[in-house]
Amino acid sequence: MGAAAVALVAGSATAASAAGTGIHSGSATGPLFTGNVQASLLGTASVTTSLGGGSCNQSTMTGSVNSDGTGVKITGASFTNNPGPSCPGGGGSVAVSAQGLPWTGGNVTYDSAHTGGRDASMTIAGFKVKAVASILGGITCYYGGSVTANGFNADNASRPVTTVSQAEIQLNNVTVNVQSGGSFLCPSTATVSATYQLLGESSPGSGTYNQQLWVESS
């Protein structure tokens, strides 16, 4: 779910350095994890604009990450609804589809300050979606940019969904900007809110995601 800035002050006894990032499997002290991950929606994902919005109850993202939090890559992303597949909202429905996959260049960063109760931040770079709304005879809009989510470990009492004992990432009213190619009626920004549980692949290429993941300092 931005990159941490590290200040190095040469020769200063009061210089501070930011903690590094380590992604572990199984527990906070488990082996370091590099590999494929899957994020599954918990509850609903909502998109709001000045013209209205939509809410989807099914979404999955797949990708990969390195054990030091670098190299976050999203290779698959779906946003649908049941019943659907379009998502209801704004007096009609909205069909949402991922564009320009893979989304590369993201990262996970351990948050030693635990800002807002989180354990880490997760940045998804290159995020882009197409939204086709049924209102006003049909409007196609594209939204994207770099989005940052809050990350929570499985035992964090501040995690958004406490009934799930897994790592969670939360997009909390994150703003994305309109991209070219859509209708002139498209609002300039959209706000996204969603919470996902995050699991690692059991073994490379297995397609089974059951590894509990933890973000700690390295």
Side-chain angles (χ1 to χ4, degrees):
M1 84 219 238
V6 180
L8 298 178
V9 182
S12 171
T14 60
S17 60
T21 299
I23 298 178
H24 301 260
S25 64
S27 71
T29 58
L32 288 170
F33 177 90
T34 292
N36 295 327
V37 294
Q38 182 181 75
S40 303
L41 182 66
L42 298 172
T44 60
S46 66
V47 179
T48 305
T49 73
S50 59
L51 285 179
S55 181
C56 304
N57 60 23
Q58 296 179 330
S59 177
T60 301
M61 291 189 285
T62 54
S64 58
V65 65
N66 297 324
S67 62
D68 63 356
T70 62
V72 169
K73 177 170 67 174
I74 305 300
T75 55
S78 63
F79 311 91
T80 58
N81 196 75
N82 182 24
S86 295
C87 305
S93 63
V94 181
V96 181
S97 58
Q99 303 290 297
L101 293 168
W103 302 331
T104 60
N107 63 81
V108 176
T109 303
Y110 176 71
D111 184 355
S112 59
H114 298 284
T115 307
R118 72 185 184 183
D119 295 297
S121 64
M122 179 178 179
T123 298
I124 300 174
F127 175 86
K128 186 177 182 181
V129 295
K130 175 183 178 181
V132 181
S134 63
I135 62 172
L136 300 177
I139 300 175
T140 298
C141 301
Y142 296 88
Y143 289 96
S146 180
V147 299
T148 299
N150 297 318
F152 302 84
N153 286 330
D155 63 345
N156 188 333
S158 297
R159 67 191 186 278
V161 183
T162 56
T163 56
V164 174
S165 297
Q166 301 293 349
E168 296 177 15
I169 54 175
Q170 181 189 48
L171 294 162
N172 187 16
N173 293 321
V174 173
T175 297
V176 290
N177 296 315
V178 70
Q179 308 288 302
S180 61
S183 168
F184 72 94
L185 295 173
C186 296
S188 60
T189 61
T191 301
V192 181
S193 295
T195 299
Y196 292 81
Q197 71 170 12
L198 189 66
L199 290 165
E201 192 174 29
S202 60
S203 58
S206 69
T208 299
Y209 295 90
N210 58 12
Q211 292 296 299
Q212 192 178 55
L213 299 178
W214 299 73
V215 182
E216 299 290 340
S217 62
S218 62

